[in-house]
Amino acid sequence: MRKIGKILSFTVASCAMVAFAMPAAAKDKAPTPRQLVKQYCRVCHGPNSPNGEYTPMTFIQDQWTDFFANTYKDAHKGVVDPHHNNKKVLEEITPDMLKKIEKYMVDHAADSEHPMTCG
Ligand code: HEC
């Protein structure tokens, strides 16, 4: 009985942490779009990555827009991220985060005013 109690309270505590840690972190210190790209894209698409290296400059603006609208979901369906507790990429990156990442990629695409190689 005591053991079950312990397991239960642990589960409750960790769920609460997940529930509250995210909004609090977002409010206190929201990651910049650049940090989002680094933490959620570059970890799998750095130099020599078997998944292909992608930087903002890999594509022109129209290609990035097209990628996020049509290819992103299919390309990452079922892909889990070992850098983030093996969560599914499509679940760990929220729509809000993805919007910021897309804007960063477009703003720094190969044909943008400020092309950038590093994410
Ligand atoms: C957990 C690792 C992981 C993360 C995180 C990740 N990707 Fe990928 N990505 C992959 C894999 C695996 C593929 C499929 C590679 C293949 O088909 O050979 C892929 C494919 C792609 C492709 C090629 C799609 C195509 O078919 O033309 C692009 C572009 C891409 N990812 C960009 C991104 C961007 C932008 C982010 C951040 C929002 C991101 N990826 C996050 C693993 C990841």
Side-chain angles (χ1 to χ4, degrees):
M1 210 38 205
R2 285 189 65 181
K3 219 176 189 179
I4 290 173
K6 249 190 195 156
I7 293 168
L8 277 181
S9 62
F10 174 75
T11 311
V12 170
S14 53
C15 289
M17 270 167 66
V18 172
F20 293 118
M22 298 275 296
K27 212 160 89 187
D28 291 341
K29 212 170 67 169
T32 63
R34 185 191 169 112
Q35 285 169 335
L36 288 175
V37 170
K38 267 201 170 151
Q39 290 165 15
Y40 293 95
C41 305
R42 291 288 282 174
V43 284
C44 289
H45 292 295
N48 305 318
S49 165
N51 309 320
E53 181 183 1
Y54 293 105
T55 78
M57 273 186 70
T58 304
F59 295 138
I60 59 170
Q61 293 181 323
D62 283 354
Q63 287 173 315
W64 276 122
T65 303
D66 182 68
F67 166 77
F68 283 104
N70 302 312
T71 315
Y72 167 75
K73 274 200 179 136
D74 280 345
H76 298 93
K77 206 182 276 172
V79 178
V80 294
D81 188 352
H83 313 279
H84 294 96
N85 295 325
N86 286 323
K87 274 180 95 177
K88 287 184 186 157
V89 172
L90 296 184
E91 288 173 12
E92 76 179 353
I93 302 178
T94 65
D96 188 51
M97 286 156 72
L98 198 64
K99 243 189 257 160
K100 290 180 183 157
I101 291 172
E102 174 172 351
K103 184 172 182 321
Y104 186 86
M105 294 306 205
V106 170
D107 284 352
H108 301 291
D111 62 340
S112 69
E113 280 180 29
H114 304 285
M116 254 192 229
T117 50
C118 55

